[in-house]
Amino acid sequence: MSYLFPTYQRWDIEPAKAEGSVILGKDGKEYLDFTSGIGVCNLGHRPKGVEQAVKEQLGLFWHVSNLFPQTAQEQAAKCLAEAAGLGSVFFANSGAEANEAAIKLARKATGRTKIISFLQSFHGRTFAGMAATGQDKIKQGFGSMLETFVHVPFNDIAGLEKELDIDTAAVMLEVIQGEGGIHVAEPEFLKAVEAACRKYGALLIIDEIQTGIGRTGKPFAFQHFNLTPDLVTVAKGLGSGLPIGAVIGRVSLNKHFGPGSHGSTFGGNPVSIAAAKATMEIIFEQGFLQQTIDKGHILFDLLEKELASLEIVKEIRGIGMMAGIEVEAELKPLLADLRKAGLLALPAGENVVRLLPPLTVRVQEIEKAMLIMKNAFSTADAVS
């Protein structure tokens, strides 16, 4: 019997220890972790610089509340804002909280309520997050969703233009849909979204929960497409495993988010802020980002070389260290076979194997993962 609600389909692996790209199970077996805690451990498990920063903060204070000015919060906010090309930050505890805050701010700033998002998107499991998400499966059983959320097909300019009007508060999108199946937005579509938002005075919200903090080889994935968002939401990789999320926005929005308009008891917790600062100091260095780009090229070159010609492989897509392999095979047994062989990978959408290796992964570890995948994919049964 477990005293936990059965909300997760857990694997039969219990971690005993983790470091770098490897998890050691209590069964004594080592697993190459290409999940990064679902895109969280971008620096691998227990990165030394982050661990030291957390230990130092634990020796000072753990929590004092946001009634107190905290220099470290200001420093972390400055780092985030400058990396995104924006000016103001609100710290939350998670990606769902960050998206909630962005939705609230968009509605308050524009005086409108309509939010447009996209089919196959994922924006969290709170009620506003579910309403914004374009996947029916996460909404089942919860009754009526919040009103004024509209979903249109991804990469469909005509569908967007049909819905976007003077009643629209914001358009909310992922430039790479993570949970939805690693679908990459087309550049012309993204520019059309931005232009339409400017035309009607709607805010452009970019959800970088999974794609941000160096995952694609830039601080944020939208920077591959020369976009200028109004709001950006981040979480996952920001704290290297400690809970933290954030909304980054234009300074002109400050007047709509004054005292009493929003808050979070634990948002910007000192220990999580210490982790976030140390994480960004490493990842946002240009040399580190270039290494991520280079390893991303190696990853995708090997995916094409080793997997593209296999019978079950339909398409390989992604950017940087975020890859999806769409397969014509049953996903659950395929992922189980990978685990048995020592590689941890994730599902995405209905039939996509998702790879989110640590940005610090070694080339030899990428090569090892490709060998495991080739063997598993070669013996998998294709869906007829």
Side-chain angles (χ1 to χ4, degrees):
M1 173 185 172
S2 173
Y3 289 94
L4 298 168
F5 276 113
T7 50
Y8 304 104
Q9 293 186 356
R10 298 184 190 274
W11 298 339
D12 57 355
I13 301 166
E14 183 171 353
K17 188 177 181 181
E19 186 171 358
S21 303
V22 175
I23 291 177
L24 176 65
K26 284 194 173 181
D27 57 4
K29 184 175 179 178
E30 287 190 352
Y31 298 88
L32 191 55
D33 183 11
F34 271 41
T35 76
S36 298
I38 314 183
V40 167
C41 302
N42 286 5
L43 290 174
H45 294 281
R46 295 178 50 234
K48 299 304 180 186
V50 179
E51 187 173 357
Q52 184 59 39
V54 168
K55 286 179 177 178
E56 289 176 4
Q57 185 59 48
L58 285 171
L60 298 175
F61 56 90
W62 301 1
H63 176 81
V64 292
S65 91
N66 285 309
L67 296 175
F68 293 86
Q70 297 175 54
T71 299
Q73 276 190 358
E74 288 287 350
Q75 292 170 339
K78 182 175 185 287
C79 189
L80 264 180
E82 290 182 345
L86 295 167
S88 295
V89 173
F90 174 85
F91 285 113
N93 299 293
S94 68
E97 280 193 20
N99 282 339
E100 287 275 340
I103 289 167
K104 284 180 63 175
L105 179 50
R107 289 172 60 135
K108 193 167 188 288
T110 62
R112 309 170 186 176
T113 59
K114 181 178 177 181
I115 306 283
I116 297 174
S117 59
F118 297 89
L119 297 177
Q120 301 170 302
S121 63
F122 182 82
H123 298 293
R125 294 185 182 273
T126 58
F127 257 91
M130 283 196 300
T133 292
Q135 299 186 55
D136 289 339
K137 65 182 181 181
I138 78 155
K139 306 175 186 182
Q140 293 173 0
F142 294 105
S144 300
M145 289 292 107
L146 298 178
E147 297 177 354
T148 70
F149 285 85
V150 177
H151 306 98
V152 299
F154 196 54
N155 281 326
D156 184 341
I157 297 172
L160 173 73
E161 292 177 342
K162 182 179 178 181
E163 292 290 348
L164 208 160
D165 53 28
I166 59 171
D167 296 320
T168 305
V171 175
M172 189 173 194
L173 62 83
E174 306 153 276
V175 296
I176 306 173
Q177 293 183 326
E179 301 293 329
I182 315 297
H183 298 285
V184 182
E186 297 169 356
E188 58 271 22
F189 168 73
L190 291 173
K191 295 308 290 185
V193 172
E194 183 176 30
C197 285
R198 300 295 173 253
K199 178 180 178 180
Y200 289 103
L203 300 189
L204 175 57
I205 304 173
I206 297 185
D207 180 336
E208 293 266 3
I209 307 303
Q210 191 167 146
T211 53
I213 318 300
R215 172 56 55 187
T216 65
K218 290 186 180 291
F220 304 97
F222 75 81
Q223 292 167 329
H224 290 279
F225 301 95
N226 194 30
L227 298 174
T228 305
D230 299 291
L231 292 167
V232 176
T233 57
V234 293
K236 289 189 180 293
L238 181 56
S240 289
L242 273 76
I244 188 169
V247 181
I248 318 164
R250 291 191 283 107
V251 172
S252 60
L253 295 170
N254 283 11
K255 60 187 176 184
H256 304 290
F257 239 25
S261 60
H262 195 56
S264 173
T265 297
F266 295 108
N269 171 271
V271 181
S272 293
I273 286 289
K277 277 184 59 189
T279 298
M280 290 187 287
E281 286 169 1
I282 298 169
I283 290 179
F284 288 167
E285 283 292 329
Q286 190 54 49
F288 184 92
L289 291 169
Q290 185 58 54
Q291 289 177 14
T292 301
I293 291 171
D294 293 342
K295 282 187 280 191
H297 289 155
I298 292 170
L299 172 64
F300 277 92
D301 286 346
L302 285 172
L303 285 170
E304 289 290 340
K305 177 183 176 182
E306 302 294 346
L307 302 185
S309 63
L310 297 179
E311 181 182 1
I312 69 167
V313 175
K314 184 177 179 181
E315 186 178 16
I316 297 168
R317 51 185 181 257
I319 298 177
M321 300 297 277
M322 185 175 186
I325 305 99
E326 185 172 344
V327 296
E328 294 179 317
E330 290 189 37
L331 204 54
K332 190 172 181 180
L334 180 57
L335 291 170
D337 287 344
L338 292 176
R339 292 195 294 274
K340 288 177 185 177
L343 176 66
L344 307 180
L346 294 162
E350 297 300 323
N351 57 343
V352 175
V353 175
R354 176 175 31 156
L355 302 179
L356 300 171
L359 310 185
T360 53
V361 67
R362 294 177 297 170
V363 173
Q364 300 96 309
E365 291 171 327
I366 298 175
E367 293 171 341
K368 180 180 178 180
M370 291 305 106
L371 179 60
I372 293 172
M373 293 182 71
K374 184 176 182 179
N375 290 337
F377 280 41
S378 296
T379 57
D381 292 326
V383 174
S384 58

